[in-house]
Amino acid sequence: MKTLLDRHIISGTATIRETLVALNELSGESMTLFAVDSDGRLIGSVTDGDIRRALISGHTTDAPAEAIAFRRFISLPADATPEERYRIVSEARERRINLLPVTADGRLEGVIDIRRMKSAIPADAVLMAGGRGERLRPLTLDTPKPLLKVGGRPIIDYNVDSLMNYGVENIYVTVNYLKEQIIDHFSDARWNGRVHCIEEPCRLGTLGSVALIDTLSQDQVIVMNSDLLTNIDFEKLWRHHVDSGAVLTMATVPYTVSVPFAILRTEGDRVTGLEEKPTFNHFANAGVYMIDRKILEGIRRGEYLDAPDFVESLIENGMKVSHFAIEGTWIDIGSPDDFRYANEVTSRRF
């Protein structure tokens, strides 16, 4: 089976007629070819529009593709920094470019289908997948909770695919309970080596297991529970985190508490007023965090540490913690009712 690069590359010496044939074979895909010279150096892109304009201007179908190629193209250097990659992919999206060539020393090394990417945020990600899922028993007696199928797919796959769609290059999954099944799941070639399983020697808490990872490379790290069903916009979360100057940003969901009784306002034993059936609006922790890597590096290896305790310690030390409200779907699949609801949602929207 041809790769994306193989399908969209053509020799600069190919005739316009040959180029038209190659474009016709791309039916159903982005109708763009990349012309290269004999050394594999990128000359430019060719579309049917370029061919149409060339024929109108007097070129014959025997003219070479290099004569009509568009040379003011955007390309992504293979050694681009994460920040450069984010900027270039964002520019390509703004210009409605579907295919982005990847080059090294001018040579065409690959092609990125921008339509399949929502962004290219410079962040690593860690998914917590070591829990026992006891509230979902007996479903989790023989299957780890992240691999339970919702809408015909394992829960964790929704999150991994979403992170990849936002351009996250390295995804770590911390495993403990029935870990062999999860490790085997991510050994499949479809993950292209971008998912790395980290084995917990014992339960270390939400953030304690992050200290086991010594290959984090990005300045920001997404840490999240693997059993969530959400369509959170990771780019907006990352942008909010960076712009706010916080060291940790918590994703949150609105939570409303309605009291069915009249609530008293008091001073000692004196009643100063009544509030009839009040409603209180709060933000609840969604189990998704954007964290500066330098802060995570302070966690001691082997230390048990849950996220709420970590957040409290940051606040007590005067560091800024911000929150980001999720717009859209968020389901914490913690009970049989949540599991049934998640299946209903995926049948309609995911």
Side-chain angles (χ1 to χ4, degrees), residues 11-176:
S11 170
T13 59
T15 66
I16 289 180
R17 182 186 298 278
E18 291 169 331
T19 304
L20 278 171
V21 171
L23 282 171
N24 188 61
E25 292 175 353
L26 293 174
S27 179
E29 298 186 53
S30 292
M31 305 291 280
T32 302
L33 292 170
F34 295 101
V36 297
D37 65 16
S38 58
D39 292 324
R41 295 184 179 277
L42 180 59
I43 298 170
S45 60
V46 183
T47 66
D48 54 357
D50 295 316
I51 293 176
R52 183 173 63 251
R53 287 185 287 272
L55 294 176
I56 291 174
S57 66
H59 284 82
T60 68
T61 56
D62 292 325
E66 61 187 1
I68 65 169
F70 179 76
R71 296 171 184 260
R72 297 192 304 276
F73 53 84
I74 297 177
S75 66
L76 176 67
D79 60 353
T81 66
E83 290 75 17
E84 289 171 337
R85 185 171 182 268
Y86 173 73
R87 177 183 57 78
I88 293 170
V89 170
S90 296
E91 180 183 352
R93 289 181 61 83
E94 289 172 5
R95 291 175 57 173
R96 298 185 178 180
I97 293 171
N98 291 333
L99 296 179
L100 179 64
V102 179
T103 58
D105 296 325
R107 292 181 173 82
L108 184 61
E109 296 288 324
V111 177
I112 295 175
D113 189 342
I114 298 295
R115 296 174 306 172
R116 298 180 181 275
M117 294 179 62
K118 294 182 178 179
S119 185
I121 60 173
D124 291 326
V126 182
L127 289 168
M128 303 294 147
R132 301 178 68 86
E134 293 180 353
R135 288 186 295 160
L136 279 173
R137 289 186 174 180
L139 295 176
T140 53
L141 287 174
D142 300 311
T143 303
K145 184 178 174 182
L147 295 186
L148 291 179
K149 290 189 176 181
V150 169
R153 300 174 60 204
I155 298 168
I156 195 171
D157 285 11
Y158 290 97
N159 294 312
V160 172
D161 283 340
S162 181
L163 288 165
M164 287 183 171
N165 287 339
Y166 279 93
V168 177
E169 288 287 294
N170 290 307
I171 300 170
Y172 300 88
V173 178
T174 62
V175 297
N176 188 316

Side-chain angles (χ1 to χ4, degrees), residues 163-318:
L163 288 165
M164 287 183 171
N165 287 339
Y166 279 93
V168 177
E169 288 287 294
N170 290 307
I171 300 170
Y172 300 88
V173 178
T174 62
V175 297
N176 188 316
Y177 177 66
L178 298 177
K179 60 186 178 183
E180 294 81 8
Q181 294 185 38
I182 300 176
I183 293 171
D184 181 65
H185 178 72
F186 286 113
S187 66
D188 191 278
R190 68 158 290 202
W191 305 109
N192 200 27
R194 290 170 61 182
V195 182
H196 319 280
C197 289
I198 306 297
E199 299 183 48
E200 289 181 306
C202 58
R203 292 189 62 197
L204 293 172
T206 313
L207 286 173
S209 58
V210 178
L212 300 175
I213 307 169
D214 54 14
T215 51
L216 295 172
S217 59
Q218 306 298 342
D219 290 338
Q220 281 78 42
V221 182
I222 299 165
V223 179
M224 64 182 292
N225 296 332
S226 65
D227 53 3
L228 302 174
L229 187 67
T230 178
N231 57 4
I232 183 174
D233 188 320
F234 287 110
E235 181 179 14
K236 286 184 178 179
L237 171 63
W238 174 79
R239 187 79 269 164
H240 173 91
H241 175 79
V242 172
D243 292 345
S244 72
V247 297
L248 183 148
T249 298
M250 304 172 62
T252 57
V253 290
Y255 189 80
T256 300
V257 179
S258 297
V259 181
F261 311 105
I263 297 299
L264 279 64
R265 292 192 297 273
T266 62
E267 291 180 3
D269 67 348
R270 181 179 180 180
V271 177
T272 60
L274 293 172
E275 189 172 358
E276 187 67 31
K277 298 180 180 179
T279 296
F280 301 96
N281 297 309
H282 303 278
F283 286 107
N285 184 2
V288 182
Y289 310 87
M290 183 74 71
I291 311 174
D292 284 358
R293 176 165 55 91
K294 62 183 180 182
I295 300 299
L296 291 173
E297 289 172 348
I299 301 174
R300 292 192 298 272
R301 194 179 183 93
E303 174 187 11
Y304 183 93
L305 182 62
D306 274 327
D309 295 328
F310 184 65
V311 171
E312 290 284 1
S313 70
L314 296 179
I315 295 171
E316 289 173 2
N317 285 302

